[in-house]
Amino acid sequence: DIQMTQSPSSLSASVGDRVTITCRASQSISSYLNWFQQRPGKAPKLLIYSASSLQSGVPSRFSGSGSGTDFTLTISSLQPEDFATYYCQQSYSTPCSFGQGTKLEIK
Amino acid sequence: EVQLVESGGGLVKPGGSLRLSCAASGFTFSTYSMNWVRQAPGKGLEWVSSISSSSSYIYYADSVKGRFTISRDNAKNSLYLQMNSLRAEDTAVYYCARDGGVAVAGSFDYWGQGTLVTVSS
C-alpha cells in the first residue's frame, strides 16, 4: 500500500500570507494526487485533482504542483475562510490513501 | 445539484451491527463508482470501501475486510454499508463520496455530510 506523508502537521499564518504544504508518496504515483480542504464539522471538499488541476469553483489562489513522489499545495494569499485542515490523497492505486492532514491556524 | 445524504448512524454495542445508507441525487448514480470514507474523532480521513458502478469491483480496507459489506441499488440511487462485528475503533463519522472518474483523475468530487457511528458499551 502507498503511504502519504504531509508536512507540516500544523502551520500558523496570517491573512494575506503565502503558505505551502507538502505531500510525499512512498512510491511514484505519477500525477494522481488530490488535495482536500476540511473545515471543522464539515465534509472534505475537493480543491485540486491530478496534482495541479483546480476543481470547478475553487478560488485561483489555490494551486498545486508536483509529480512522482513530491507534491505541494500553495495558497497565494490566505483568506479568513482558508483556515482549515488540508489533506492530500493518492488515487493512483487501490487502496487509495490520505495524508495525515495539515491544520492551518490563524497566527 | 449533486447531493449525497447519509443515514443510519447511531450508538451500538461492541460486536453489534449497523447498516448505513447514502441517498444520491442530482447525477446519474448508476454511472459512478462510490466510496465510504471514515474519520475517527479528532483524526484524519481513512478510506473504507469502494464499489464500481455496476458492483463488479468491490474493495475494502484491511481494517474492515470480512466485517463490512458495501453494496448499491442503482434503481434506488442508493449506496449501503453493512457493518458487522463492530469494534470501538470503528467509531467515526462515515462519509459517502463519489468517485468523479477520469474527469477528476479518480478523486472524490462530492461528499455527503456524514453520519456518526459510535461503538460503545
Side-chain angles (χ1 to χ4, degrees):
Chain A
D1 296 359
I2 299 174
Q3 310 303 317
M4 307 301 294
T5 304
Q6 286 180 235
S7 60
S9 296
S10 63
L11 176 59
S12 293
S14 302
V15 172
D17 284 354
R18 178 185 179 92
V19 299
T20 298
I21 298 168
T22 65
C23 180
R24 175 165 288 178
S26 59
Q27 65 184 75
S28 177
I29 56 171
S30 184
S31 295
Y32 288 89
L33 190 283
N34 313 303
W35 290 99
F36 296 88
Q37 176 193 66
Q38 187 179 34
R39 297 189 176 109
K42 300 296 186 182
K45 172 188 174 183
L46 178 64
L47 299 176
I48 303 279
Y49 62 93
S50 293
S52 60
S53 296
L54 199 65
Q55 173 67 340
S56 176
V58 174
S60 59
R61 63 181 179 273
F62 291 92
S63 64
S65 65
S67 66
T69 60
D70 294 313
F71 302 87
T72 60
L73 172 70
T74 299
I75 309 172
S76 60
S77 179
L78 276 173
Q79 299 302 300
E81 60 268 28
D82 300 337
F83 292 94
T85 300
Y86 293 84
Y87 294 92
C88 63
Q89 179 217 21
Q90 66 83 13
S91 52
Y92 178 79
S93 66
T94 301
C96 72
S97 45
F98 294 89
Q100 81 278 15
T102 295
K103 187 174 184 179
L104 181 51
E105 299 175 304
I106 301 174
K107 184 184 289 184
Chain B
E1 178 194 5
V2 172
Q3 284 199 321
L4 299 170
V5 180
E6 301 95 336
S7 59
L11 175 63
V12 60
K13 290 181 168 54
S17 298
L18 214 53
R19 189 195 196 207
L20 305 183
S21 299
C22 172
S25 61
F27 66 103
T28 307
F29 180 72
S30 61
T31 64
Y32 287 86
S33 295
M34 297 294 296
N35 298 267
W36 288 100
V37 177
R38 67 184 181 183
Q39 186 170 37
K43 302 298 184 182
L45 301 169
E46 179 189 15
W47 171 81
V48 172
S49 182
S50 66
I51 185 168
S52 63
S53 58
S54 60
S55 305
S56 297
Y57 300 97
I58 288 175
Y59 303 96
Y60 298 99
D62 287 346
S63 57
V64 307
K65 201 172 293 182
R67 300 187 299 122
F68 290 11
T69 302
I70 191 172
S71 62
R72 64 190 295 162
D73 186 334
N74 286 343
K76 295 183 177 179
N77 290 339
S78 293
L79 175 72
Y80 306 101
L81 187 67
Q82 177 67 42
M83 303 186 296
N84 298 330
S85 303
L86 282 161
R87 306 167 180 167
E89 54 265 35
D90 295 319
T91 294
V93 173
Y94 285 73
Y95 297 100
C96 68
R98 188 181 86 166
D99 181 331
V102 294
V104 289
S107 64
F108 300 167
D109 59 352
Y110 287 94
W111 297 62
Q113 85 289 351
T115 187
L116 176 62
V117 172
T118 304
V119 184
S120 175
S121 55

